[in-house]
Amino acid sequence: MDIIIAFLIFIACLVLCLSLDITMILPLALGLVLFSLVAVRRGKTAKQVGKMALSTMKDSLIVVRIILLLGCLTGLWRASGTIAYFVVGGVRVIPPALFILASFVLTAVMSFALGTSFGVTATGGVILMAIGRAGGMNPVIVAGAVLSGVYVGDRASPAASSANLVAVLTGTDMRDNVRLMLKNTILPFILCCVIYSVLSLITPMSEVDVSLLEEIAGEFNLSWLCLIPAVLMLLLPFCKVSIIASIVVSIAASFAVAVFTQGLNVFEALKAMVLGFAPENASLAATFSGGGVVSMLEIACILIISGTYGGIFRGAGLLDKVDELLIKLSGKIGRYPTMLIMSAGICAVFCNQTIGSIMQSELSAPLYGEDEKTQKMMDMENSVILIAGLVPWCIASSVPLGMLNAGAGSLPFACYLYLLPLIELIKGARKRVYNGKN
């Protein structure tokens, strides 16, 4: 009963803060206190609870390092003129009537090639958002299309860390997994293209005022050197360079371009890295301001706090009786709907796609036999990997939206994240009816 009360208070606080647009740090900190108290009430000492929390928080620090580096990268890409270069080129190349569709397709292709949602969001996503803002697009819709696109690859790319993790957890072959995932990606991908085509036609990118392009050219030196940071970031992963090393190299290149091409001094370049970039021309602020380490601090705090939950829940045995509940629920509504419900709960509490995948694999073990590894893999890929992107305070959602300077209002436009699970639900319901099951 104590854990139920703690959950109810925690969820109520989450909903309240989300509706009032208050930082998610507060409810997550409250949740840490509540779950720690439950663990103490069940016989654990405060010291033991602290050790349990630290045991899993260490894992989240790896991701914290990446997102702080991405903050540096997005600040310097703005300062170096890299984003400005792509904005000017993109405005001229991308058809205004298909901009939202192009945002989805381009990020989907990039994410499948690179296997990283964060990396594609910080590069292609940030550029597309800047182009959209310059063209008067609704940033909420553009951010939704970008978030939708980056998860096409995050889920199904052979280079994606999440896909490889699920393969390891389920004991399945990665090559077979990719083939199966691509097969059931076709329909939701087509539906997304239709939806984004309609949205593109309804809200086309307006003709960019020539004076705006002139202002951009006056603010930045749009030399071909501005391309170097982006080219390095996109090509290095193909050369088997780690994502962290690729980001660091791109940061160094951006710093050099900002100093030697844009005329910033070293202090100004460092300021863009840490505090973000702000153009001297105020009329360009909406398009080019942002980035920097400070833009990622709130997300880093959310990740660190949520990273403590896994250790407390495991160490204190707060989920020991969940197995029986899941077996009963699966018998009533089916395994995949149960996995979806489990995903929503896990992602809401642990706020982490990686921890969510590990927890779901452990909790769902009684639902699958030894000969059902492939089915378990597909159910995980079609649930926790995607649902994580729909939970506003989960890092799978908050990190990309933070880099895009967008809020949770973009999530309804991240169509791929909920169309694929919805299609799988419908297919499962039809199969159950066909087989004569309730």
Side-chain angles (χ1 to χ4, degrees):
M1 189 64 181
D2 51 3
I3 188 63
I4 295 176
I5 294 174
F7 264 118
L8 290 175
I9 296 173
F10 173 60
I11 293 172
C13 188
L14 279 173
V15 172
L16 178 63
C17 289
L18 185 62
S19 61
L20 297 177
D21 196 24
I22 298 174
T23 176
M24 288 293 108
I25 293 177
L26 295 178
L28 290 172
L30 175 63
L32 176 59
V33 173
L34 290 171
F35 299 135
S36 297
L37 289 175
V38 172
V40 171
R41 189 174 183 275
R42 295 193 177 188
K44 300 296 181 181
T45 65
K47 186 176 182 179
Q48 287 175 323
V49 173
K51 287 184 178 180
M52 290 186 292
L54 289 174
S55 66
T56 50
M57 187 187 76
K58 293 176 182 177
D59 297 331
S60 65
L61 295 179
I62 299 173
V63 183
V64 169
R65 180 175 55 179
I66 293 176
I67 64 172
L68 292 180
L69 285 173
L70 288 173
C72 294
L73 183 71
T74 54
L76 282 172
W77 270 34
R78 287 170 166 87
S80 64
T82 299
I83 291 178
Y85 191 98
F86 279 100
V87 167
V88 173
V91 165
R92 293 170 177 165
V93 174
I94 299 177
L98 295 176
F99 182 76
I100 298 173
L101 173 62
S103 298
F104 168 67
V105 174
L106 286 173
T107 51
V109 172
M110 287 178 65
S111 66
F112 188 80
L114 300 177
T116 166
S117 57
F118 289 0
V120 173
T121 303
T123 53
V126 170
I127 290 169
L128 288 165
M129 284 294 289
I131 296 173
R133 286 191 169 99
M137 296 294 297
N138 185 337
V140 170
I141 299 177
V142 178
V146 169
L147 187 63
S148 195
V150 298
Y151 271 98
V152 173
D154 187 78
R155 169 184 173 271
S157 170
S161 58
S162 61
N164 280 278
L165 174 62
V166 172
V168 171
L169 291 173
T170 55
T172 51
D173 184 83
M174 187 63 191
R175 290 169 296 182
D176 293 336
N177 294 356
V178 170
R179 178 177 55 81
L180 291 171
M181 286 188 284
L182 287 178
K183 184 177 180 180
N184 80 334
T185 293
I186 295 174
L187 180 55
F189 187 88
I190 292 173
L191 289 176
C192 283
C193 288
V194 172
I195 293 171
Y196 291 130
S197 296
V198 172
L199 287 173
S200 295
L201 294 172
I202 294 174
T203 59
M205 186 167 67
S206 60
E207 291 293 332
V208 179
D209 193 339
V210 176
S211 63
L212 175 62
L213 298 181
E214 292 175 350
E215 288 181 353
I216 294 174
E219 180 76 19
F220 300 96
N221 176 14
L222 300 181
S223 162
W224 64 269
L225 294 172
C226 298
L227 285 172
I228 293 177
V231 170
L232 289 171
M233 185 64 205
L234 294 176
L235 291 183
L236 287 177
F238 286 109
C239 300
K240 307 299 182 181
V241 179
S242 70
I243 184 65
I244 292 180
S246 299
I247 294 172
V248 170
V249 171
S250 185
I251 287 173
S254 301
F255 193 96
V257 173
V259 172
F260 296 108
T261 301
Q262 304 304 333
L264 276 66
N265 59 45
V266 172
F267 175 77
E268 289 171 329
L270 288 172
K271 182 179 178 182
M273 278 182 61
V274 179
L275 301 179
F277 176 72
E280 293 181 4
N281 189 333
S283 63
L284 298 178
T287 303
F288 297 106
S289 293
V293 173
V294 294
S295 69
M296 294 296 175
L297 289 180
E298 180 179 349
I299 298 168
C301 290
I302 289 173
L303 179 57
I304 291 171
I305 296 172
S306 62
T308 64
Y309 286 10
I312 295 174
F313 274 72
R314 290 178 190 170
L318 302 185
L319 297 177
D320 286 349
K321 296 183 179 180
V322 172
D323 290 354
E324 297 177 13
L325 178 63
L326 292 176
I327 293 173
K328 291 180 181 179
L329 187 61
S330 177
K332 292 181 179 180
I333 66 174
R335 283 188 305 195
Y336 181 60
T338 300
M339 293 287 274
L340 280 178
I341 294 173
M342 191 195 315
S343 298
I346 289 173
C347 292
V349 173
F350 295 102
C351 312
N352 187 301
Q353 188 189 63
T354 300
I355 296 175
S357 299
I358 296 170
M359 292 294 294
Q360 186 181 52
S361 180
E362 292 179 1
L363 292 173
S364 64
L367 306 182
Y368 297 87
E370 276 297 314
D371 59 341
E372 295 179 302
K373 293 179 180 179
T374 299
Q375 186 59 54
K376 180 177 179 178
M377 177 276 299
M378 287 299 293
D379 287 348
M380 288 182 65
E381 291 285 3
N382 297 337
S383 57
V384 67
I385 299 301
L386 298 175
I387 297 301
L390 289 172
V391 178
W393 53 89
C394 184
I395 65 164
S397 174
S398 61
V399 171
L401 290 178
M403 287 187 281
L404 298 174
N405 290 331
S410 299
L411 294 179
F413 296 98
C415 305
Y416 181 79
L417 293 177
Y418 56 81
L419 277 179
L420 195 152
L422 182 60
I423 290 170
E424 291 302 306
L425 275 177
I426 294 172
K427 287 163 58 178
R430 290 181 63 185
K431 184 176 180 181
R432 287 172 66 84
V433 171
Y434 180 80
N435 291 334
K437 297 180 181 180
N438 294 324

